[in-house]
Amino acid sequence: MSIAQKPPLGWNSWDCYGASATEEIIKQNADYMAKNLKQFGWEYVVLDIEWSEPTADSHAYHKFAELCMDEYSRLIPAPNRFPSSANGQGLKPLADYVHSLGLKFGLHIMRGIPRQAVHQNCKLLGTNKTARDIASTTSICMWNTEMYGVDCSQEGAKEYYESIFKLYAEWEVDYIKIDDICRDYPIEEVEMVKAALDSCGREMVLSLSPGPAQLEKAEHMKEHCNMWRITDDFWDKWELLYNMFERCEKWCIHSGAGHWPDADMLPIGPILQDYDKANRTKFTKDEQITMMTLWSIFRSPLIIGGELTGFDEFTLSLVTNEEIIDINQNSYGAHPLFRKSVNGVEQTAWLANCNNGDFALALFNLGEKETIVTAKLPVEGDYTISDCWNFGECLMIQNEVSCNIPPHGAKLYRLTRTK
């Protein structure tokens, strides 16, 4: 795959707006990214679910809501929420705006075909078959009422998927997040989606959600998508972050150019804004540093979930740390060195290679009290060491790094061999 040679960096509207994002919201976050984040490598602005639903107003879904749809069973934007889509323009004007800022535009879709298209027996582009001919009405999403699955064995199924990717190519979409597909992973449908994308004439990052993905399907995922979720929706709860260490340990060997296990969005800054615009992440500062450190050394895609225009100085510092971003984008071979309990406090360490011969070393305190974490390096030699978060003084060390870490906290070091 020629795209996503490094983990994608971007923003997604779900954590802060759920189903209710509007054209204005997408533009304001794109403006902020262009001004404050683009120079650090952030580029994707992703509109999440329900952009075709006129009455969407929160993180909750409106059951069996009437969606905006064209004559060929393809969902189109709700013009009351995306005014520039009027007169059949779709999301092309919004994508144009994002592109004008030097950024890329991403879009969420659901697996399958709209139920309303099936009930109305609507036409499909490029075939005389109809929506009813290709629908698998027993294949439904457990948390959203809008779609039926597609029966890939039926004539017309291929043409349907080709038609929606043709539309996204016309809109100049750069990134597709397809939902209700990663966990159960219907192989025939995944392959049909990938073939439709490949034939549409435009390169797009292909991201599969939600997880947890099946580890035994890893090789197939690496051939057919760029990102796949290794977890269900990730929120600002310590137990979810704690559990991510085990997931990352299992998946770290599958990270590589063009294919990235995805630990999900970063719930930092203002989130859940449909409930309270003052609501911010419940992660402590130490927990946010732990999350960013793990996501970076593991090389997960980094997709911000919070409202960008509400970032404070600390939150902005998390996503503009050039050392952290460089390790995420350019290291390789990340793996845990150990995970153990020392004096009743659980701790772990990860090591990765950097392209210039340096090492990245991450130390984590997973326990409930301050502790010293010590890691012996698996290679001999003398090194200078720099603190990636605090930019502390460089110290000479030999084969061992030791530091005091607060509860739920982390340290990330870059080690440069001196001889």
Side-chain angles (χ1 to χ4, degrees):
M1 295 181 177
S2 61
I3 58 173
Q5 293 297 293
K6 298 179 180 182
L9 306 180
W11 173 86
N12 179 290
S13 61
W14 170 256
D15 280 1
C16 44
Y17 293 104
S20 65
T22 63
E23 182 168 341
E24 180 182 1
I25 286 167
I26 300 303
K27 286 183 173 181
Q28 75 187 23
N29 281 277
D31 289 342
Y32 184 95
M33 183 180 287
K35 181 179 179 181
N36 299 284
L37 303 181
K38 184 174 73 170
Q39 63 266 40
F40 298 94
W42 300 89
E43 59 179 346
Y44 290 99
V45 177
V46 184
L47 168 61
D48 210 87
I49 197 167
E50 302 289 348
W51 41 269
S52 62
E53 211 272 78
T55 65
D57 58 3
S58 71
H59 274 78
Y61 304 123
H62 298 160
K63 292 184 177 181
F64 304 106
E66 187 75 13
L67 307 177
C68 295
M69 188 176 71
D70 71 7
E71 63 178 313
Y72 295 113
S73 307
R74 301 180 299 183
L75 296 178
I76 57 176
N80 62 314
R81 295 170 53 205
F82 299 90
S84 68
S85 70
N87 302 315
Q89 296 188 84
L91 288 170
K92 175 69 161 55
L94 181 54
D96 286 345
Y97 182 85
V98 173
H99 293 151
S100 75
L101 300 173
L103 302 172
K104 297 179 180 179
F105 179 64
L107 187 64
H108 172 289
I109 66 172
M110 292 290 291
R111 173 184 69 92
I113 189 165
R115 292 190 193 185
Q116 71 185 49
V118 177
H119 298 160
Q120 298 168 17
N121 204 23
C122 294
K123 294 187 293 185
L124 303 175
L125 185 66
T127 176
N128 60 4
K129 299 298 181 180
T130 66
R132 196 171 296 171
D133 292 323
I134 70 167
S136 177
T137 57
T138 59
S139 175
I140 58 175
C141 178
M142 294 296 102
W143 41 266
N144 185 283
T145 60
E146 294 172 357
M147 311 292 278
Y148 287 129
V150 167
D151 183 344
C152 296
S153 68
Q154 296 299 315
E155 184 182 346
K158 172 177 173 288
E159 287 79 6
Y160 167 71
Y161 268 122
E162 288 176 344
S163 76
I164 64 172
F165 277 94
K166 178 178 183 292
L167 185 64
Y168 307 146
E170 291 170 356
W171 292 347
E172 297 190 4
V173 174
D174 304 294
Y175 175 120
I176 289 290
K177 173 186 173 181
I178 182 166
D179 217 334
D180 190 36
I181 197 167
C182 187
R183 183 184 298 136
D184 294 331
Y185 202 72
I187 285 179
E188 289 185 353
E189 198 158 3
V190 169
E191 292 177 351
M192 187 169 282
V193 166
K194 178 62 165 58
L197 189 159
D198 288 345
S199 67
C200 77
R202 184 175 180 83
E203 284 194 332
M204 305 178 202
V205 171
L206 183 59
S207 170
L208 307 188
S209 286
Q214 302 172 46
L215 194 59
E216 60 270 24
K217 303 289 179 61
E219 296 305 320
H220 192 272
M221 292 174 184
K222 288 155 73 170
E223 292 180 7
H224 292 86
C225 62
N226 305 109
M227 300 164 48
W228 60 91
R229 282 264 296 278
I230 64 173
T231 178
D232 205 336
D233 285 3
F234 178 81
W235 286 105
D236 48 343
K237 298 177 181 179
W238 168 249
E239 58 269 28
L240 297 180
L241 179 51
Y242 175 86
N243 291 337
M244 195 63 70
F245 283 86
E246 181 179 359
R247 297 184 187 279
C248 291
E249 181 174 351
K250 292 177 179 178
W251 281 101
C252 63
I253 63 171
H254 296 292
S255 295
H259 48 83
W260 307 103
D262 178 13
D264 200 13
M265 290 176 283
L266 301 163
I268 54 177
I271 59 174
L272 295 175
Q273 289 205 2
D274 51 335
Y275 302 133
D276 181 353
K277 288 191 180 295
N279 194 6
R280 302 186 74 84
T281 182
K282 295 180 178 63
F283 278 141
T284 66
K285 288 184 177 181
D286 285 323
E287 289 167 348
Q288 291 176 68
I289 288 173
T290 290
M291 175 178 61
M292 289 296 299
T293 300
L294 179 60
W295 266 238
S296 293
I297 200 165
F298 172 66
R299 302 196 74 189
S300 172
L302 299 180
I303 308 296
I304 298 167
E307 166 58 51
L308 296 178
T309 63
F311 273 21
D312 58 18
E313 184 177 348
F314 172 77
T315 310
L316 184 59
S317 74
L318 292 173
V319 297
T320 56
N321 184 314
E322 292 180 284
E323 288 280 353
I324 303 303
I325 293 172
D326 180 64
I327 289 169
N328 174 264
Q329 295 289 285
N330 297 310
S331 65
Y332 61 95
H335 62 279
L337 291 176
F338 62 80
R339 184 169 179 174
K340 60 187 178 182
S341 180
V342 177
N343 297 322
V345 181
E346 190 174 3
Q347 54 183 242
T348 188
W350 281 62
L351 187 73
N353 298 282
C354 299
N355 286 335
N356 59 359
D358 292 357
F359 292 99
L361 175 68
L363 307 180
F364 300 94
N365 177 359
L366 306 183
E368 302 303 319
K369 62 181 182 180
E370 188 174 275
T371 192
I372 294 175
V373 181
T374 300
K376 291 185 177 181
L377 301 179
V379 290
E380 297 290 338
D382 292 335
Y383 300 86
T384 58
I385 179 170
S386 58
D387 185 328
C388 297
W389 283 114
N390 296 323
F391 299 99
E393 292 183 2
C394 293
L395 304 172
M396 297 296 292
I397 64 169
Q398 185 170 9
N399 204 41
E400 189 172 281
V401 178
S402 185
C403 62
N404 201 39
I405 302 180
H408 301 181
K411 292 282 189 178
L412 183 60
Y413 297 108
R414 180 179 286 268
L415 304 167
T416 302
R417 188 190 295 270
T418 58
K419 62 180 182 180

